[in-house]
Amino acid sequence: KEDAALALGTVFSLNALALLTFPLLGRALGMTPEAFGVWAGIGVHDVASVVGAATAFGPGALATATAVKLSRVLYLLPIVAFVAWRRRG
């Protein structure tokens, strides 16, 4: 239980940190909304944190970040199905 609590706390803390720092870093690096959306969609773990960071960066980043993040999540389905299939056999 303690290990799970530590892991969850770490993930939530890093998500909160990303939510606050990604928009600042994106602006400091001079990213376009589309570039920021790709970066946030790939680099931030939680969908809600991606949406929050992209919204904070600007409306142009939101569509790209959401599409990238949801694409990553959808790609997990065939991977998990394949692993489950291989472990059964």
Side-chain angles (χ1 to χ4, degrees):
K1 290 181 181 180
E2 291 173 4
D3 290 343
L6 178 62
L8 286 171
T10 301
V11 170
F12 289 135
S13 297
L14 291 174
N15 279 334
L17 183 64
L19 179 63
L20 299 172
T21 59
F22 266 59
L24 297 173
L25 289 171
R27 285 189 192 94
L29 294 171
M31 290 184 159
T32 65
E34 292 78 19
F36 179 83
V38 171
W39 182 52
I42 291 171
V44 179
H45 173 73
D46 182 59
V47 175
S49 297
V50 170
V51 170
T55 300
F57 188 81
L62 182 58
T64 303
T66 304
V68 169
K69 185 61 184 179
L70 292 179
S71 297
R72 286 189 59 217
V73 171
L74 284 175
Y75 281 123
L76 288 175
L77 181 63
I79 293 168
V80 170
F82 176 76
V83 170
W85 173 73
R86 290 293 294 167
R87 293 190 98 190
R88 289 180 119 188

